[in-house]
């Protein structure tokens, strides 16, 4: 914490994925025909419904399970999910909003320095893994937070975790480790 | 083991070995490769699976016995594991390739996964997945392979010796390798190597090295396409971009050469490459000084601009600093002090909070130099989403559990007086 000094690190949450159930069978054909902003995918057995505000895309299965993606915060995800359930109710299904759960949160962050990935990986094996031919970033998995951080040599990070709190904690956890392995600015 | 007394019908040498790699044993001449024994012309040898495949790959890549033995051990161990025992033949084949790759790396014999991909003719994504899984199962680590180690093998693939091409275009592989290595090292320092695939870069380095070793009119006019055709190498599309990037770096260093008076452009930097590489350390130092001077001049001009370096921001979830197309919420991590003034937070959001380190250094990757600016978006006034819900819609409104209970209670209360009245 102290090593951050006077600069604030911005963690920008770019995607929140949540699921919920409607507790009733949904007729996908009816949704596809009568719903607005829907795309029917019969080969995959689902309907995609997009909401304008909040900007959310939902995959709807006939069993009543719905996955919402594209929200930028947990509250927005819940709001979007409820709005979606209301849309379905308007179409005539006996929807009951239940089992709402945020499954995944994706955030990006940028360090004010470049990172020497090879040093970083050698210092942190086996938690960190880096295969330059396969992917340009080093992957760091934090087990207790269940979060994965991908570190790029330019200093950008992408963090995925089960909720926003874990994601913030993951960045706090990894900052000092990255600070040690930063690339010196000039030779 | 050579068989005594046998002579090759093709070249007459007596160096015949027994090749028992495939299911049929063959007697092959070492000098010319002719098959001596009769009736063993299998046009399509069966691709062996498992250990046979490991042996085969090692023979193709001409690896020594130690690496082959290690690869076989790894393969045997990995094969017993549940994730590899009931998989497709293709996956097993790829596993064999991965075992060879990791043993090579551990014995300091640098080969890339790309080479294995070519040998097996497999997909890169499949290879990558199997490789990661294998590392996890066997719980082993491999030292990193740098581009510099691999480039020697790469350069030797190019057919530009005196026998293959006209005198004017021929080049000694050793000299070519040396210069290509220097170019790659320079590329490494200027952010051209990191995060990019090694092969196009090596191709670009070889091409520029070849051009600069003898920068006559013919070579300078020779395009990358023609060069690859001549050297019988498959051209990579990305190599052209790498050439441009390398030339840009070389130009920046070429400007610092004391005996160069005219401006250095991309088209005439190639003859100077030899000198640039020879004195590259001192040129880098000079370029850095020039860059710093330019930065100071810039800073002096814009000293009135308020840079928020000492501000302290409390932790909060805020929705400022949105992109134009998609909104994103921002979580700010506070430094040691909390509870300081909220202050000019809104003003500062229009700039980048963390100083862009790309501006301060001499070389930086393109994504940092042209960092995306996240612009502040005004809230859309017309649709807030919290509009009044009309009476007709209220019936379909989803109630939270508390509201449902309240509603039920209210209904009960309403129905009681009615029943009493009537």
């Amino acid at each position: 914490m102290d090593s951050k000094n006077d600069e604030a690190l911005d963690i920008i949450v770019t995607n929140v994925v949540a699921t919920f159930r409607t507790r009733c069978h949904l007729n996908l054909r009816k949704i596809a025909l009568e719903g607005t902003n829907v795309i029917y995918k019969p080969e995959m057995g689902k309907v995609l419904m997009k909401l304008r505000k909040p900007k959310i895309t939902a995959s709807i299965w006939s069993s009543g399970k719905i996955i919402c993606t594209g929200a930028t915060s947990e509250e927005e995800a819940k709001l979007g999910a409820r709005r979606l359930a209301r849309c379905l109710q308007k179409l005539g299904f006996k929807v009951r909003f239940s089992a709402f759960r945020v499954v995944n949160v994706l955030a990006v962050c940028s360090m004010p320095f470049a990172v020497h990935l090879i040093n970083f990986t050698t210092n942190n094996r086996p938690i960190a893994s880096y295969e330059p031919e396969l992917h340009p970033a080093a992957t760091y998995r934090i087990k207790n937070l269940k979060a994965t951080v991908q570190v790029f040599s330019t200093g950008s990070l992408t963090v995925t975790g089960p909720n926003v709190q874990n994601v913030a904690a993951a960045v706090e956890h990894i900052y000092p480790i990255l600070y040690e392995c930063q690339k010196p600015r000039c030779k | 083991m050579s068989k005594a007394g046998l002579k090759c019908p093709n070249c007459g040498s007596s160096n015949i070995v027994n090749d028992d790699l495939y299911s049929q044993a063959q007697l092959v001449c070492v000098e010319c490769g002719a098959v001596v024994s009769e009736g063993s012309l299998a046009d399509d040898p069966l691709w062996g699976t498992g250990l046979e495949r490991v042996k085969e790959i090692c023979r193709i890549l001409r690896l020594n016995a130690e690496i082959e033995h290690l690869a076989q051990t790894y393969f045997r161990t990995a094969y017993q594991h549940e994730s590899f025992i009931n998989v497709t033949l293709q996956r097993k084949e790829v596993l064999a390739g991965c075992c060879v790759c990791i043993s090579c790396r551990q014995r300091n014999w640098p080969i890339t996964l790309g080479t294995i991909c070519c040998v097996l003719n497999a997909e890169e994504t499949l290879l990558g997945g199997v490789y990661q899984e294998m590392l996890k199962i066997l719980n082993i680590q491999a030292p990193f392979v740098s581009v510099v180690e691999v480039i020697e093998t790469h350069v030797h693939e190019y057919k530009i010796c005196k026998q293959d091409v006209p005198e004017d275009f021929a080049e000694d592989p050793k000299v070519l390798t040396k210069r290509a290595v220097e170019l790659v090292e320079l590329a490494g320092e200027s952010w051209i190597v990191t995060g990019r695939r090694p092969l196009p870069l090596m191709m670009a380095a070889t091409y520029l090295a070849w051009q600069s070793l003898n920068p006559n009119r013919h070579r300078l006019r020779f395009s990358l396409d023609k060069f690859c055709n001549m050297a019988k190498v498959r051209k990579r599309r990305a190599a052209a971009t790498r050439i441009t990037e390398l030339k840009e770096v070389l130009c920046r260093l070429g400007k610092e050469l004391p005996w160069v008076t005219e401006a250095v452009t991309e088209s005439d930097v190639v003859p100077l490459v030899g000198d640039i590489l020879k004195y590259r350390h001192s040129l880098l130092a000079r370029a850095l000084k020039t860059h710093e001077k330019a930065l100071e001049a810039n800073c002096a001009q814009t000293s009135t601009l308020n840079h928020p370096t000492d501000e302290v921001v409390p932790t909060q979830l805020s929705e400022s600093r949105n992109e134009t197309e998609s909104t994103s919420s921002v979580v700010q991590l506070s430094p040691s002090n909390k509870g300081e003034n909220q202050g000019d937070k809104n003003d500062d959001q229009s700039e980048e909070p963390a100083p862009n380190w790309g501006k301060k250094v001499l070389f930086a990757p393109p994504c940092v130099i042209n960092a995306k600016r996240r612009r502040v978006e005004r809230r859309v006034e017309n649709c807030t989403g919290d509009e009044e819900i009309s009476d007709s819609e209220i019936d379909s409104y989803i109630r939270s559990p508390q509201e449902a209970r309240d509603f039920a209670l209210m209904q009960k209360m309403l129905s009681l007086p009615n029943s009493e009245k009537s």
Side-chain angles (χ1 to χ4, degrees):
Chain A
M1 278 279 272
D2 315 31
S3 53
K4 268 198 288 296
N5 292 334
D6 304 295
E7 293 168 0
L9 269 181
D10 266 351
I11 308 176
I12 301 164
V13 179
T14 52
N15 191 25
V16 174
V17 179
T19 67
F20 69 98
R21 291 186 190 271
T22 58
R23 294 261 202 209
C24 74
H25 185 269
L26 299 172
N27 185 345
L28 293 186
R29 232 179 91 84
K30 183 167 178 214
I31 299 176
L33 290 172
E34 296 173 23
T36 54
N37 302 326
V38 288
I39 305 168
Y40 188 28
K41 290 208 178 268
E43 68 274 7
M44 304 192 52
K46 67 181 182 186
V47 166
L48 294 177
M49 188 185 277
K50 296 190 193 246
L51 254 59
R52 269 215 195 94
K53 184 176 171 66
K55 199 151 190 280
I56 277 186
T57 307
S59 304
I60 304 168
W61 275 269
S62 55
S63 62
K65 177 158 182 184
I66 302 183
I67 300 185
C68 297
T69 60
T72 58
S73 71
E74 293 181 9
E75 294 79 17
E76 208 179 272
K78 184 145 196 186
L79 181 65
R82 292 184 132 231
R83 198 154 287 175
L84 191 70
R86 179 167 67 176
C87 284
L88 290 176
Q89 231 184 24
K90 276 198 233 164
L91 287 172
F93 299 102
K94 290 197 186 340
V95 164
R96 283 179 51 200
F97 189 79
S98 75
F100 177 82
R101 192 171 80 96
V102 169
V103 169
N104 189 33
V105 170
L106 171 73
V108 296
C109 186
S110 197
M111 300 282 127
F113 47 80
V115 179
H116 200 281
L117 288 182
I118 298 192
N119 286 1
F120 170 71
T121 327
T122 12
N123 293 351
N124 294 294
R125 288 205 223 226
I127 312 174
S129 74
Y130 175 44
E131 209 43 61
E133 294 179 62
L134 298 177
H135 189 57
T139 319
Y140 188 94
R141 287 177 207 275
I142 307 173
K143 228 178 168 179
N144 56 340
L145 294 172
K146 285 189 254 180
T148 306
V149 182
Q150 292 202 339
V151 185
F152 289 83
S153 54
T154 56
S156 311
L157 311 176
T158 71
V159 194
T160 61
N163 53 54
V164 177
Q165 215 178 2
N166 277 30
V167 160
V171 177
E172 290 214 25
H173 181 262
I174 206 176
Y175 185 94
I177 306 174
L178 290 179
Y179 194 82
E180 279 173 21
C181 309
Q182 65 177 282
K183 233 181 193 153
R185 289 223 234 104
C186 41
K187 271 201 153 177
Chain B
M1 26 179 188
S2 42
K3 297 265 181 190
L6 276 173
K7 260 198 171 171
C8 169
N10 214 12
C11 62
S13 98
S14 54
N15 199 358
I16 312 278
V17 291
N18 191 8
D19 178 18
D20 58 357
L21 182 56
Y22 300 105
S23 45
Q24 291 170 336
Q26 304 175 18
L27 294 169
V28 185
C29 166
V30 175
E31 310 293 322
C32 66
V35 173
V36 177
S37 62
E38 307 228 354
S40 57
L41 290 170
D43 46 353
D44 207 297
L46 288 167
W47 292 128
T49 55
L51 285 170
E52 288 290 318
R53 199 74 177 104
V54 175
K55 248 200 217 169
E56 208 174 286
I57 300 171
C58 291
R59 296 273 172 96
I60 295 175
L61 293 171
R62 288 187 234 168
L63 306 170
N64 62 30
E66 191 193 342
I67 297 180
E68 195 176 317
H69 188 69
L70 185 61
Q72 285 178 335
T73 324
Y74 281 146
F75 187 82
R76 258 185 238 116
T77 332
Y79 199 76
Q80 305 304 327
H81 198 270
E82 54 185 7
S83 32
F84 285 117
I85 210 159
N86 281 327
V87 292
T88 57
L89 278 177
Q90 194 195 24
R91 219 173 153 81
K92 286 181 188 163
E93 197 181 329
V94 169
L95 175 65
C98 293
C99 291
V100 172
C101 187
I102 189 103
S103 355
C104 283
R105 284 199 180 171
Q106 290 190 330
R107 292 285 173 270
N108 287 325
W109 187 269
I111 59 167
T112 58
L113 282 173
T115 321
I116 301 279
C117 224
C118 279
V119 167
L120 293 177
N121 214 11
E123 265 181 357
E124 283 174 358
T125 36
L126 177 64
L127 189 75
V130 173
Y131 186 75
Q132 305 271 37
E133 223 182 308
M134 181 197 76
L135 283 183
K136 207 164 55 162
I137 291 171
L138 293 174
N139 206 11
I140 46 182
Q141 276 120 30
F144 292 104
V145 174
S146 79
V147 186
V148 174
E149 291 166 18
V150 186
I151 199 161
E152 197 179 326
T153 353
H154 178 79
V155 171
H156 280 273
E157 276 178 28
Y158 288 68
K159 303 226 177 339
I160 40 180
C161 306
K162 290 209 175 64
Q163 303 104 303
D164 303 311
V165 294
E167 182 81 35
D168 212 11
F169 293 143
E171 207 56 71
D172 181 19
K174 279 206 179 56
V175 178
L176 195 63
T177 311
K178 186 159 169 285
R179 181 150 288 193
V181 165
E182 288 176 348
L183 275 169
V184 169
E185 283 174 358
L186 182 64
E189 288 164 21
S190 40
W191 285 96
I192 299 178
V193 175
T194 332
R196 270 89 178 265
R197 287 181 190 241
L199 203 62
L201 173 71
M202 295 196 286
M203 186 171 285
T206 317
Y207 173 68
L208 281 176
W210 175 81
Q211 273 195 326
S212 66
L213 278 170
N214 190 2
N216 54 31
R217 210 164 45 95
H218 295 290
R219 286 205 191 183
L220 289 179
R221 287 250 189 95
F222 224 58
S223 73
L224 180 65
D225 264 326
K226 284 197 209 150
F227 178 71
C228 292
N229 277 340
M230 180 180 78
K232 300 205 181 38
V233 168
R234 196 162 71 98
K235 180 190 157 196
R236 298 276 159 159
R237 233 172 341 134
T241 335
R242 299 292 161 267
I243 291 173
T244 323
E245 287 169 359
L246 266 173
K247 279 193 178 163
E248 207 183 297
V249 171
L250 289 165
C251 274
R252 280 181 87 168
L253 291 185
K255 278 193 209 131
E256 305 296 328
L257 280 171
W259 55 84
V260 166
T261 44
E262 313 108 18
V264 181
T265 63
E266 261 94 28
S267 41
D268 52 19
V269 73
V270 180
L272 298 170
V273 169
D275 286 332
I276 296 174
L277 289 176
K278 195 163 150 193
Y279 304 112
R280 67 179 188 266
H281 296 293
S282 42
L283 285 177
L284 271 171
R286 284 173 75 129
L288 190 63
K289 274 198 205 112
T290 319
H291 183 77
E292 278 175 1
K293 274 196 205 125
L295 273 182
E296 273 171 34
N298 250 350
C299 258
Q301 279 179 7
T302 58
S303 59
T304 48
L305 196 71
N306 191 19
H307 276 275
T309 46
D310 288 328
E311 64 148 13
V312 165
V313 177
T315 314
Q316 52 175 274
L317 283 163
S318 62
E319 280 189 69
S320 44
R321 292 178 79 254
N322 299 318
E323 293 179 331
T324 40
E325 286 174 32
S326 62
T327 58
S328 47
S329 61
V330 177
V331 177
Q332 295 233 323
L333 281 185
S334 77
S336 38
N337 302 341
K338 283 191 189 177
E340 287 275 340
N341 54 332
Q342 303 240 350
D344 304 81
K345 201 161 164 309
N346 290 328
D347 290 342
D348 301 326
Q349 246 92 61
S350 51
E351 305 167 15
E352 298 141 51
N356 189 358
W357 62 265
K359 303 243 160 58
K360 295 184 189 166
V361 293
L362 185 58
F363 294 117
C367 66
V368 172
I369 297 175
N370 311 322
K372 280 191 196 163
R373 287 183 179 277
R374 292 177 186 266
R375 281 177 267 170
V376 181
E377 188 202 278
R378 259 177 253 280
R379 278 185 172 265
V380 183
E381 295 296 343
N382 42 4
C383 172
T384 59
D386 298 328
E387 279 114 357
E388 204 86 18
I389 301 173
S390 59
D391 286 334
S392 53
E393 276 189 36
I394 210 94
D395 282 329
S396 50
Y397 179 76
I398 301 166
R399 299 185 180 101
S400 65
Q402 180 62 33
E403 285 172 73
R405 269 179 255 134
D406 290 340
F407 186 70
L409 194 65
M410 196 181 67
Q411 290 279 51
K412 216 165 71 174
M413 281 166 49
L414 280 175
S415 60
L416 278 175
N418 282 341
S419 58
E420 277 175 7
K421 276 184 197 167
S422 63

